[in-house]
Amino acid sequence: MTTFAIQGRCLAAPPPLDWREQLARMLGAKPRRIGNWAELGMYGALSCLADSGEGELPPDALLMLGSQRGTYVSTGQVLEQMRDDLPMPLTFLQTQPSQLLALLAAQMRWRGHAGFVAGGTPQALLQLASAQCGRAGMLLGWVDEMDGGSSLWLRLRPCEVSGDKPVVASAESMFSLDATHLYVVGSGAQAG
Amino acid sequence: MNPIHLAGRGLACSLGLSVEQALATLRQGGSQASQVTLPGAMAGNYPFQGIPYSQADWNERARELVQRVAAEAGAQPIRDGVLLIATSSFDIGAVERCATQMDYQAFADKIAAWLDWSGRVHVVNTACTSSLNALLAAQALLRSGAAADALVLGVELDNRLTLGGFAALQLLSRTASQPFGAQRDGLVLGEAVAALRLSTRDPALWKLAGGANVVDGEQPTGASVRAVNEMCARALADSGAAADSIDLVKVQAAGSPGNDAVEAQGLREAFPVLPPLVSLKAAMGHTMGASGAAEIALLTACLEQGVWPACGHEMDAELGVGLAPAMPQNVRRFMATILGFGGSHASVVLERA
């Protein structure tokens, strides 16, 4: 069993009404033509990192992102554009979930291992990420545009401490204010 | 830590519907790219390396190719293992034909059902590096003991979105892919379905020694020199290999004017003495998310059977690198690299067991 301490979080589901203004303040300017999904992701990731108190993500940390439907809105727009012409280049880029990884890396002035996993559950994402992350831990996010949008992020560091009564995690318990640790076992993730 | 063996491989690409067919086509000098026509401002014909397999129904064609390739890799006995599907376009070709809705989980479930897969399934999308990142994830799971077998399945099939997007970004060649070539003018995209079966139980000729992925936001649609350099250093460290122990590097080099130059400079800086280089892009096109798995499947077979991809174009002398005209002798360890959208730079090291 691997234990992770939750060192920071952003639980924006849905995000606050002024999340775009908050994002613009964090970036120093309004983001330009990166798409709503990527903006949501940046808002959550940067808020989470700020909550952790870390000025920057360590280079050997893992950045892992998941989503139920990802860039489906931008993809629909591109398919519409392609009925009688090529897509707009920047709109096409918005269909690529990995663009968010590059945007985050640039904003955090960070270079390291990052990935996007499509579908599944946050628990499955955590299981996969935990096998790949080292002592610097990970920044793990789950971002979707449906139902008003959600941007759920955790800054996790491996630790020795274990909680009293870990319970099998649902997405709700993983991304709750009550959880202080996450436990990854062979068959799934647990929260405590 | 048990070695992670490349216990099986399967491939369908423009060169053929199996590894053996692809080798046979390579022996004969390769295949001719077909042409696709795109509308609008960048209208015209573009070469495209499609899989020579016709089937009107997109889903049926995908199912048949996936099942064929998985069977070739010997996936049937490990269906309770981990399946890592690597793709940049999912089943968008079917969405374009109104044959399905865009839904990540439905795509994963569909492929798992085609393979009668009962184990864990993950879908990895890091654009062109998807297969190599799936391979790195599989390696981590096998190293940790969480699984003993894994199948990395790269799937990149016909769709207008990818072609149109690349054309809109003016990344496509109108003629041919010329990796590191003096006249290179862009990529030629291709289709592939490729499977790599990894096992800590079944010994095999090749083993996965390690690898690394480095995301750099400096250039979201291309490569950066410092990230190529760092990727090589991290991949070597993870593999426990020294730079001078690499006998061959399979490069990304797809014929892009900018990216090829960046990769060449990064490699020159990472390797005090540059090993021989090979690119498979001219032979099979750039197969995006499937390219890592497809090129490893083909390259390992080439090395085993003494087949080498022809390289008929003139090299760009200003890059300071070139492709090996013939197979290097005694390749015991090689590095395979893919660079992609999202600032992703991924590399793995394979060595003879």
Side-chain angles (χ1 to χ4, degrees):
Chain A
M1 183 170 78
T2 307
T3 305
F4 292 96
I6 300 175
Q7 293 211 326
R9 73 188 103 211
C10 172
L11 308 177
L17 291 175
D18 67 341
W19 71 272
R20 292 181 192 280
E21 289 74 20
Q22 289 188 44
L23 176 61
R25 280 196 292 276
M26 287 189 279
L27 298 176
K30 281 186 178 178
R32 296 189 61 201
R33 301 168 87 175
I34 64 173
N36 188 60
W37 183 78
E39 288 181 10
L40 264 175
M42 291 198 80
Y43 165 76
L46 298 176
S47 299
C48 179
L49 201 60
D51 185 58
S52 75
E54 288 177 298
E56 55 191 26
L57 193 64
D60 49 348
L62 175 67
L63 170 57
M64 194 62 105
L65 171 64
S67 177
Q68 190 182 336
R69 298 200 62 190
T71 59
Y72 79 104
V73 174
S74 296
T75 303
Q77 289 169 353
V78 166
L79 293 179
E80 194 62 39
Q81 288 174 8
M82 286 199 65
R83 285 183 188 277
D84 46 23
D85 204 342
L86 295 180
M88 299 299 290
L90 290 177
T91 313
F92 170 69
L93 286 177
Q94 290 171 16
T95 69
Q96 302 297 306
S98 59
Q99 285 295 301
L100 175 51
L101 305 176
L103 290 165
L104 283 171
Q107 184 62 29
M108 297 190 296
R109 294 180 177 81
W110 172 87
R111 282 197 307 280
H113 184 16
F116 174 75
V117 174
T121 62
Q123 300 94 305
L125 177 69
L126 174 61
Q127 261 195 308
L128 188 64
S130 69
Q132 297 185 74
C133 96
R135 296 168 65 88
M138 69 179 94
L139 182 60
L140 179 137
W142 191 265
V143 180
D144 270 303
E145 284 188 85
M146 303 92 70
D147 306 324
S150 61
S151 192
L152 302 165
W153 290 82
L154 299 172
R155 174 70 178 101
L156 301 171
R157 274 187 180 271
C159 66
E160 299 299 324
V161 181
S162 61
D164 294 334
K165 291 179 182 175
V167 293
V168 175
S170 60
E172 287 74 22
S173 59
M174 258 180 80
F175 295 118
S176 85
L177 284 169
D178 297 331
T180 58
H181 294 79
L182 296 178
Y183 311 91
V184 179
V185 293
S187 57
Q190 302 174 322
Chain B
M1 192 162 57
N2 292 327
I4 298 168
H5 289 100
L6 177 58
R9 65 192 171 211
L11 175 64
C13 66
S14 63
L15 297 168
L17 300 179
S18 67
V19 172
E20 286 305 317
Q21 277 188 24
L23 284 176
T25 307
L26 266 189
R27 281 193 189 96
Q28 292 163 10
S31 62
Q32 190 71 34
S34 58
Q35 297 282 319
V36 291
T37 303
L38 292 174
M42 301 290 292
N45 291 335
Y46 293 86
F48 182 69
Q49 297 274 14
I51 296 174
Y53 187 72
S54 296
Q55 162 68 266
D57 184 291
W58 195 98
N59 278 312
E60 273 303 295
R61 180 173 185 261
R63 181 185 64 77
E64 289 171 17
L65 290 168
V66 163
Q67 289 178 338
R68 173 189 282 262
V69 165
E72 187 183 16
Q76 206 266 350
I78 64 153
R79 289 174 298 175
D80 58 350
V82 180
L83 173 62
L84 290 134
I85 303 166
T87 183
S88 73
S89 59
F90 306 96
D91 52 357
I92 198 74
V95 177
E96 290 169 354
R97 292 160 176 80
C98 299
T100 191
Q101 299 288 316
M102 187 184 161
D103 184 323
Y104 294 157
Q105 193 56 48
F107 170 73
D109 292 344
K110 179 164 66 180
I111 290 191
W114 289 344
L115 298 178
D116 196 18
W117 202 270
S118 61
R120 288 165 58 179
V121 180
H122 300 281
V123 180
V124 177
N125 177 344
T126 54
C128 310
T129 59
S130 299
S131 282
L132 290 194
N133 274 312
L135 209 53
L136 292 173
Q139 172 192 258
L141 290 169
L142 268 59
R143 276 181 176 172
S144 73
D149 300 286
L151 186 74
V152 170
L153 181 71
V155 179
E156 209 68 62
L157 290 170
D158 175 41
N159 71 87
R160 308 272 297 174
L161 183 138
T162 307
L163 275 163
F166 272 64
L169 288 164
Q170 302 185 35
L171 295 173
L172 297 183
S173 171
R174 298 267 191 176
T175 54
S177 171
Q178 298 186 47
F180 293 148
Q183 305 301 320
R184 68 188 187 280
D185 64 353
L187 318 179
V188 172
L189 296 181
E191 289 184 294
V193 179
L196 301 177
R197 178 164 67 88
L198 302 176
S199 176
T200 53
R201 295 189 287 214
D202 295 347
L205 193 56
W206 296 96
K207 62 180 181 181
L208 177 61
N213 173 52
V214 175
V215 169
D216 186 349
E218 182 184 79
Q219 177 53 269
T221 57
S224 83
V225 173
R226 66 182 182 183
V228 171
N229 216 326
E230 190 168 333
M231 168 197 76
C232 291
R234 287 191 185 202
L236 289 170
D238 188 62
S239 310
D244 62 4
S245 73
I246 299 295
D247 302 315
L248 175 70
V249 178
K250 184 219 69 64
V251 291
Q252 158 72 14
S256 155
N259 247 25
D260 281 20
V262 167
E263 184 179 19
Q265 186 181 340
L267 289 171
R268 288 201 320 269
E269 293 180 9
F271 289 91
V273 178
L274 202 58
L277 309 179
V278 64
S279 170
L280 297 165
K281 296 293 194 299
M284 64 199 306
H286 183 14
T287 60
M288 306 289 294
S291 60
E295 294 179 16
I296 287 172
L298 184 59
L299 179 59
T300 50
C302 283
L303 291 169
E304 290 163 23
Q305 301 198 25
V307 180
W308 202 241
C311 175
H313 58 275
E314 179 192 353
M315 292 288 118
D316 183 349
E318 289 187 9
L319 297 181
V321 301
L323 299 176
M327 181 181 294
Q329 296 294 309
N330 300 320
V331 174
R332 292 197 50 77
R333 184 180 288 119
F334 71 85
M335 179 179 271
T337 293
I338 298 288
L339 313 176
F341 271 180
S344 184
H345 306 65
S347 193
V348 295
V349 174
L350 280 89
E351 58 190 28
R352 288 188 188 266

